[in-house]
Amino acid sequence: MPAREAGNSERIWQVVAAIPPGHVATYGAIARGAGLPGAARRVGAALRGLPAATRIPWHRVINARGRLSLPEGSDAWRLQRTRLQAEGVEFRANGSIDLGRFHWDPGQA
DNA sequence: GTTATGACGCCGT
DNA sequence: AACGGCGCCATAA
């Protein structure tokens, strides 16, 4: 029997859903929180497959550099940025987020 | 079975 | 700081 099912997306979504409003989490942190260390790329794939009307707060997931990984200028990029700002997350002039202030680690949950 | 593909991450230059 | 290269893991071709 397969030690780990391929349907890890479920677990990933669960961790993402736990990110408190006004905070963000990196892809790597989500992967670790889901028990999938090193599978940061899987997190992006899982979010990529979410329906547009999902209630999962996918916009709270950013990369380790404190930047949005979506193509800058795209609709999704703007939506993510808008939602985060609406929650109180501040963007620096260069477009990055201060992880020291806004990053949330699944481990504390 | 092999190779290509990504909403990633880390390290060296 | 900017860039490039390599590692990572699961899917798809």
Side-chain angles (χ1 to χ4, degrees), chain A residues 41-42 58 64 69:
Chain A
R41 300 188 91 132
R42 295 292 91 224
W58 56 267
S69 279

Short mmCIF file of all heavy atoms in Angstrom, two decimals, chain A residues 41-42 58 64 69, chain B residues 6-10:
data_model
loop_
_atom_site.label_atom_id
_atom_site.label_comp_id
_atom_site.label_asym_id
_atom_site.label_seq_id
_atom_site.Cartn_x
_atom_site.Cartn_y
_atom_site.Cartn_z
N ARG A 41 6.88 23.06 -4.71
CA ARG A 41 6.29 23.15 -6.06
C ARG A 41 4.92 22.50 -6.13
O ARG A 41 4.07 22.89 -6.91
CB ARG A 41 7.21 22.47 -7.07
CG ARG A 41 8.57 23.11 -7.13
CD ARG A 41 9.39 22.55 -8.26
NE ARG A 41 9.18 23.37 -9.43
CZ ARG A 41 10.17 23.84 -10.19
NH1 ARG A 41 11.40 23.52 -9.93
NH2 ARG A 41 9.91 24.58 -11.21
N ARG A 42 4.70 21.51 -5.29
CA ARG A 42 3.40 20.81 -5.26
C ARG A 42 2.33 21.78 -4.75
O ARG A 42 1.17 21.70 -5.12
CB ARG A 42 3.43 19.60 -4.35
CG ARG A 42 4.34 18.52 -4.78
CD ARG A 42 3.87 17.83 -6.05
NE ARG A 42 4.44 18.46 -7.23
CZ ARG A 42 3.77 18.75 -8.34
NH1 ARG A 42 2.50 18.48 -8.42
NH2 ARG A 42 4.35 19.31 -9.34
N TRP A 58 -6.07 31.24 -1.00
CA TRP A 58 -4.84 31.00 -1.76
C TRP A 58 -3.98 32.27 -1.88
O TRP A 58 -2.78 32.21 -2.09
CB TRP A 58 -5.19 30.49 -3.15
CG TRP A 58 -6.11 31.41 -3.90
CD1 TRP A 58 -7.47 31.35 -3.93
CD2 TRP A 58 -5.74 32.54 -4.68
NE1 TRP A 58 -7.96 32.38 -4.70
CE2 TRP A 58 -6.93 33.13 -5.17
CE3 TRP A 58 -4.51 33.13 -5.03
CZ2 TRP A 58 -6.93 34.28 -5.98
CZ3 TRP A 58 -4.51 34.27 -5.83
CH2 TRP A 58 -5.71 34.83 -6.30
N ALA A 64 9.34 32.53 -0.93
CA ALA A 64 10.30 32.77 0.15
C ALA A 64 10.96 34.14 0.08
O ALA A 64 11.55 34.59 1.06
CB ALA A 64 11.38 31.68 0.11
N SER A 69 4.27 35.09 -6.57
CA SER A 69 4.87 34.29 -7.65
C SER A 69 4.07 34.31 -8.94
O SER A 69 4.48 33.74 -9.93
CB SER A 69 5.03 32.83 -7.19
OG SER A 69 6.18 32.67 -6.40
P DG B 6 5.34 25.04 -18.40
OP1 DG B 6 4.19 25.16 -19.28
OP2 DG B 6 6.64 25.64 -18.79
"O5'" DG B 6 4.94 25.68 -17.02
"C5'" DG B 6 5.77 25.60 -15.92
"C4'" DG B 6 4.97 25.44 -14.66
"O4'" DG B 6 5.30 24.15 -14.12
"C3'" DG B 6 5.35 26.49 -13.63
"O3'" DG B 6 4.23 26.85 -12.82
"C2'" DG B 6 6.44 25.78 -12.82
"C1'" DG B 6 6.03 24.32 -12.91
N9 DG B 6 7.20 23.45 -12.99
C8 DG B 6 8.30 23.58 -13.79
N7 DG B 6 9.21 22.66 -13.60
C5 DG B 6 8.66 21.86 -12.62
C6 DG B 6 9.17 20.70 -11.99
O6 DG B 6 10.25 20.13 -12.19
N1 DG B 6 8.29 20.20 -11.04
C2 DG B 6 7.07 20.74 -10.74
N2 DG B 6 6.35 20.12 -9.81
N3 DG B 6 6.57 21.83 -11.31
C4 DG B 6 7.42 22.33 -12.23
P DA B 7 3.71 28.25 -13.30
OP1 DA B 7 2.25 28.14 -13.40
OP2 DA B 7 4.45 28.85 -14.40
"O5'" DA B 7 4.08 29.09 -12.03
"C5'" DA B 7 3.01 29.46 -11.26
"C4'" DA B 7 3.49 29.98 -9.96
"O4'" DA B 7 2.35 30.62 -9.42
"C3'" DA B 7 3.93 28.91 -8.97
"O3'" DA B 7 4.84 29.46 -8.05
"C2'" DA B 7 2.63 28.52 -8.31
"C1'" DA B 7 1.92 29.89 -8.26
N9 DA B 7 0.46 29.79 -8.33
C8 DA B 7 -0.30 29.06 -9.19
N7 DA B 7 -1.58 29.18 -9.01
C5 DA B 7 -1.68 30.06 -7.94
C6 DA B 7 -2.76 30.60 -7.24
N6 DA B 7 -4.02 30.33 -7.54
N1 DA B 7 -2.51 31.43 -6.24
C2 DA B 7 -1.24 31.72 -5.94
N3 DA B 7 -0.13 31.27 -6.53
C4 DA B 7 -0.43 30.44 -7.53
P DC B 8 6.44 29.44 -8.30
OP1 DC B 8 6.90 30.74 -7.86
OP2 DC B 8 6.80 28.96 -9.62
"O5'" DC B 8 6.94 28.36 -7.24
"C5'" DC B 8 6.23 28.03 -6.07
"C4'" DC B 8 7.19 27.49 -5.04
"O4'" DC B 8 8.05 26.53 -5.66
"C3'" DC B 8 8.12 28.54 -4.42
"O3'" DC B 8 8.30 28.26 -3.04
"C2'" DC B 8 9.39 28.38 -5.19
"C1'" DC B 8 9.40 26.88 -5.46
N1 DC B 8 10.18 26.56 -6.67
C2 DC B 8 11.30 25.73 -6.53
O2 DC B 8 11.60 25.28 -5.43
N3 DC B 8 12.03 25.46 -7.64
C4 DC B 8 11.67 25.97 -8.81
N4 DC B 8 12.45 25.67 -9.87
C5 DC B 8 10.52 26.78 -8.97
C6 DC B 8 9.81 27.06 -7.88
P DG B 9 9.29 29.15 -2.17
OP1 DG B 9 8.74 29.10 -0.80
OP2 DG B 9 9.49 30.45 -2.83
"O5'" DG B 9 10.69 28.36 -2.16
"C5'" DG B 9 10.74 27.06 -1.63
"C4'" DG B 9 12.18 26.65 -1.30
"O4'" DG B 9 12.87 26.34 -2.53
"C3'" DG B 9 12.99 27.76 -0.63
"O3'" DG B 9 13.88 27.15 0.30
"C2'" DG B 9 13.71 28.41 -1.79
"C1'" DG B 9 13.97 27.23 -2.71
N9 DG B 9 14.02 27.56 -4.15
C8 DG B 9 13.23 28.44 -4.84
N7 DG B 9 13.49 28.50 -6.11
C5 DG B 9 14.53 27.59 -6.27
C6 DG B 9 15.24 27.22 -7.44
O6 DG B 9 15.08 27.62 -8.60
N1 DG B 9 16.22 26.26 -7.17
C2 DG B 9 16.48 25.74 -5.93
N2 DG B 9 17.46 24.85 -5.86
N3 DG B 9 15.82 26.08 -4.83
C4 DG B 9 14.86 27.01 -5.07
P DC B 10 14.82 28.07 1.24
OP1 DC B 10 14.68 27.55 2.61
OP2 DC B 10 14.55 29.49 0.94
"O5'" DC B 10 16.30 27.73 0.73
"C5'" DC B 10 16.66 26.37 0.49
"C4'" DC B 10 18.04 26.29 -0.14
"O4'" DC B 10 17.93 26.53 -1.55
"C3'" DC B 10 19.00 27.34 0.43
"O3'" DC B 10 20.26 26.75 0.64
"C2'" DC B 10 19.04 28.39 -0.67
"C1'" DC B 10 18.84 27.55 -1.92
N1 DC B 10 18.27 28.29 -3.06
C2 DC B 10 18.77 28.03 -4.35
O2 DC B 10 19.64 27.18 -4.50
N3 DC B 10 18.27 28.71 -5.40
C4 DC B 10 17.30 29.62 -5.21
N4 DC B 10 16.83 30.27 -6.28
C5 DC B 10 16.77 29.89 -3.91
C6 DC B 10 17.28 29.20 -2.87
#
